[in-house]
Structures are given as structure tokens and as C-alpha cells.
Amino acid sequence: MRISALAAEAGLPVATVKYYLREGLLQPGTATSATQASYDEHHLRRLRLVRALTGPVGLSVQQARSVLQLVDEPGDDLYSTLGRAVGALPPDGAEPAGADDPYPRARAALEALGQVYDPEFAAVAQLEGALAAADDAGMPITPERLARYGSAAADLAAYDLERMPPEPHAAVEYTVLGTALYEPVLLALRRLAHQDAAVRRLGREA
Amino acid sequence: MRISALAAEAGLPVATVKYYLREGLLQPGTATSATQASYDEHHLRRLRLVRALTGPVGLSVQQARSVLQLVDEPGDDLYSTLGRAVGALPPDGAEPAGADDPYPRARAALEALGQVYDPEFAAVAQLEGALAAADDAGMPITPERLARYGSAAADLAAYDLERMPPEPHAAVEYTVLGTALYEPVLLALRRLAHQDAAVRRLGREA
DNA sequence: AATATTGGAGAGTACAACTATCCAATCATG
DNA sequence: CATGATTGGATAGTTGTACTCTCCAATATT
């Protein structure tokens, strides 16, 4: 399949596919001559993945590249690979404050939840930033609510991890892509559940 | 408080505060003369809220303005106000496909969850887009997983709604800002729970 | 009176994500 | 095998966002 067929199949302009090639989001096709290369199903699936990440997941092209690179060549350690993938995901967290206790809110939250606290993990900074934002906005999160959210998250994580494929490469792909791709689903479901609860509680005036 | 004091207090350049004024994110101060206006705590809190929305929540300035306008002058109906607020939040959903059944995946999901299905609600399009993205990326979401995520979301929503303030204006603020501000918290907690579960399951090699 | 600051408006900047144009080297087709 | 279309590759241009800078006349401050 040539580039124009690939682009047509994916529903994208050729120029955009070339752009992704330049940016390293898409592997080059196998060159068949100086001015021709051929692409296959692999490239098509990758393109769809790129659009999923830059679209609903909301990643920038740079962030998508980081995530894809980790899926392509994961480290030997799933924990640190997951850590780096999460670091590539938005939002950016708060930068470390004091050298002694850089993320006090996040640390307190995780200790209350009985979870490991690793200040190196990008999501810790993200949590700190999110908690600080809620405070700053005048809607602080109570410890009770945090406990509720945390245990819900733990339940979902346990469910996800139970279904992780055994083979290491597949496990990385499942974990990294699952983290990124399922987030918008969870958010949409939460918004819809709020709507549903509002309807049931207030009745709908339309 | 003059504009420079306000900016200093919020930790922002004066130029940025002026920009927010121009964009209608911040109400003008009360003019004390042709070249002077004074600002108060209200403006400072608003500025912090703007930074929370454009920062950790990840809204664009346009989106933040839409959300803030709804908080400032909510409609008479909480349901539709919430709907419009959710419509202002990223990600953008899929645009309606067929006239008969525009969001088939989302409709099926909500019916399976026993929730109301209202194709007008922006989060329905967001859910459709998120489910389609997972499919396209080669990691479709099983009905079972959807049920799990959905019931977790329903639990959280019930918890949140129980704590909604009775007064209408406060209820809108709580619901709209709570939806937006607590999402990054939930996402960070989910990522951390994945990390925690991974550590417990695999042990950490460091 | 001299100096600094303000509000307001407009222009300028920096970056991201495409999109368009060129060009010489193939390819496909009659 | 002539001829028009397509390709990969590079470079430049476009659009949109979020600031940031510069001016300026009218106050404030000292």
C-alpha cells in the first residue's frame, strides 16, 4: 500500500501522514525505490492509534510520540515504563516545592489510602497539582471524598491489573494504552452518572 | 487593590491579568477614575479559579470562559446548565453520525447501565468518541469493563450529589466546578492505583 | 512639580499542528 | 516508450492560542 492509499484508508490528508512520519509518530514504510515506499496494516493501525491519542485522549503530538516510543521499546521494568508513560500524559503536575516534602497533599492522601508513595512517580505531582487547584479554586477536597475517590480508583485498578496479559510486551501495551485510552471513557461515564443522578434527584424540567 | 497588587497577589504578570480582563474571564474592577480601578478578594479568587481551570483541568481560555459564564449566570434549570457546562469541557465528542441512532455505542452502554440516555447531552458524544477511539486503537472496551467503570462512576456521582448544597446558585457552582476540578484528581488517583497495584503484583525491581 | 503607575487598546511573539508547494525520480498506461 | 500522475523528502506557509510588549494620555504619589 502506498502513502496515498494509507492516508485514504485512515481518512487523513497525505500531508498529515507525512507530518506524522516526520515527527516520528509513524514508522517509515519499507522503501521499494528512491521515491516509493510501501505501508501495511501495521501502519494503518498505528495511524488509528495516533488519532485516538491526539483526539479523544487529548495528547499533543509530542506526548503521543513519548507514549508510543514507550510502547515500541519498553524498558525491562514495567513499573518504570508505566511511570515514564504517565509522565508523558497531561496534565503536567506541580513542580517539586520543598526538597524535604515536595508533595505534601499527595503524600498525605496516599498514606491515608494505604498506598505506596513514590515522589518520583509523575502522577504524584499531578495529584498534588490537582489538589492544589481545587484548594485554590475554593473547592477543597475533603479527606472523606478523597478516600472515596481513592478506593474507587483502587477497585478499578485491581480489575484492570487482573486482566493484564502475561507476556511482558503485551503487558506494557495493555497498561500504557489502557491508562491513556480508558481515561476519557471514565470521565464521560462520570459526567453521565452526574447527569443521571441529577435527573433522578431533581426530576427533569423540560 | 489596584491591578498590580492583584497581579502580584495571584503571582501573575500584569499583562496576563489585563489579557484575562479583555477575554472576559475576569470582571472589571470598580473604576475609581478614568485611569484607575480597584479590585477585591472576589477578583483574586476568580483569578485563582481561572488558573486552576486553565492549568490542571486543562481548559483553553475559551472553554474556561464558557464554564465561568455558566457559573456566573446559570439558567433556571440545573440539568441544562450542567449539560452546557459539560459541553464546554474537553474532549470534544464525536459529531452525530446517522440521524436515527447517532451514538450507538454510548446508547448501548447507558442502557446496559440502566441510565437515562439523552443524545443532547454533550457527555454522550464524548463517551461515543472515547469508545470509538478505544476500538480504533485496537483496545476495545468489553461490556463487562464498561459495567465496572459505569457502576464506579455511579457510586461517585451519588456520593457527590448527596453533598450538593441546597441553594440553587451554590448547587450550580458545586456541580459545574466539582465536575471540572475533581476530574484531574480522579485521574491521578487512578494512575496511582495502577502503580500501586503493579508494585504489589509484580514487586518492584529497582 | 516631578516621577511613577494605571487602564485600555493594538501590535508583536512563540509555539503547535497542520497544510501547501516544489522537485526530481519513479510508476502506470496507452 | 512517451507522457502524465504519484511519490518521498524538504521547505515554507497558514491558522489558532496564549500570552507579552509597547504606547499613551490621564491620574497618583512624593
Side-chain angles (χ1 to χ4, degrees):
Chain A
M1 171 183 347
R2 288 155 298 184
I3 197 173
S4 58
L6 178 68
E9 201 83 27
L12 293 174
V14 174
T16 302
V17 175
K18 287 185 176 184
Y19 168 64
Y20 289 154
L21 281 167
R22 245 177 296 147
E23 293 299 319
L25 298 185
L26 184 65
Q27 317 88 321
T30 53
T32 61
S33 82
T35 67
Q36 220 86 5
S38 94
Y39 303 86
D40 59 14
E41 293 303 313
H42 242 83
H43 295 90
L44 182 54
R45 287 193 40 214
R46 171 61 75 105
L47 264 187
R48 288 205 234 267
L49 177 55
V50 168
R51 294 304 280 191
L53 292 178
T54 59
V57 178
L59 300 192
S60 70
V61 166
Q62 324 272 347
Q63 292 163 339
R65 178 175 44 218
S66 303
V67 169
L68 291 170
Q69 275 172 0
L70 287 170
V71 171
D72 289 342
E73 2 180 309
D76 41 3
D77 171 19
L78 190 141
Y79 176 89
S80 77
T81 301
L82 178 56
R84 271 176 286 145
V86 166
L89 263 36
D92 291 341
E95 61 268 23
D100 51 340
D101 192 5
Y103 307 115
R105 280 178 261 237
R107 188 179 44 72
L110 290 175
E111 282 171 5
L113 290 167
Q115 285 183 205
V116 299
Y117 167 75
D118 177 353
E120 294 290 302
F121 200 74
V124 169
Q126 291 160 358
L127 178 60
E128 184 73 20
L131 293 175
D135 282 6
D136 290 349
M139 290 197 53
I141 294 187
T142 62
E144 186 191 321
R145 170 169 273 127
L146 201 49
R148 262 305 187 91
Y149 280 41
S151 74
D155 289 351
L156 293 179
Y159 177 88
D160 288 341
L161 263 280
E162 274 166 23
R163 277 151 194 79
M164 185 175 73
E167 194 266 312
H169 185 275
V172 169
E173 190 169 307
Y174 171 85
T175 311
V176 172
L177 295 184
T179 296
L181 288 168
Y182 295 167
E183 282 182 0
V185 174
L186 181 58
L187 291 189
L189 287 173
R190 187 174 99 103
R191 292 172 187 177
L192 289 164
H194 273 139
Q195 172 207 26
D196 186 70
V199 169
R200 288 183 203 285
R201 183 165 289 257
L202 309 168
R204 167 147 190 209
E205 308 114 49
Chain B
M1 185 188 324
R2 288 155 296 183
I3 198 172
S4 57
L6 178 67
E9 201 83 28
L12 292 174
V14 173
T16 302
V17 175
K18 287 182 176 184
Y19 169 65
Y20 289 154
L21 281 167
R22 246 177 294 148
E23 293 298 317
L25 298 186
L26 183 66
Q27 316 90 320
T30 52
T32 62
S33 82
T35 66
Q36 220 86 4
S38 91
Y39 303 87
D40 59 14
E41 292 303 313
H42 242 82
H43 295 89
L44 181 54
R45 287 193 40 213
R46 171 60 76 102
L47 265 188
R48 289 205 235 268
L49 177 54
V50 168
R51 295 304 281 190
L53 292 178
T54 59
V57 178
L59 300 191
S60 70
V61 167
Q62 326 268 349
Q63 291 163 338
R65 178 175 43 218
S66 303
V67 169
L68 291 170
Q69 276 172 0
L70 287 170
V71 172
D72 289 343
E73 1 180 310
D76 41 3
D77 171 20
L78 190 141
Y79 176 88
S80 76
T81 301
L82 178 57
R84 269 176 287 142
V86 166
L89 262 37
D92 292 342
E95 61 266 25
D100 50 342
D101 192 5
Y103 307 113
R105 282 179 259 236
R107 187 179 46 69
L110 290 175
E111 281 170 5
L113 289 167
Q115 285 183 202
V116 300
Y117 167 74
D118 178 352
E120 295 290 303
F121 201 73
V124 169
Q126 291 160 358
L127 178 59
E128 185 72 21
L131 293 174
D135 281 7
D136 290 349
M139 291 197 52
I141 295 188
T142 63
E144 187 193 320
R145 170 170 272 128
L146 201 49
R148 260 307 186 89
Y149 279 43
S151 72
D155 289 350
L156 293 178
Y159 178 89
D160 288 341
L161 263 280
E162 274 166 22
R163 276 150 195 81
M164 185 175 74
E167 194 265 312
H169 185 275
V172 169
E173 191 169 307
Y174 171 84
T175 311
V176 171
L177 295 185
T179 296
L181 287 168
Y182 296 167
E183 283 182 358
V185 174
L186 181 58
L187 291 190
L189 287 172
R190 187 174 99 100
R191 293 172 186 177
L192 289 164
H194 273 139
Q195 173 207 25
D196 185 69
V199 170
R200 288 182 202 287
R201 182 165 290 257
L202 309 169
R204 167 142 192 214
E205 308 114 50

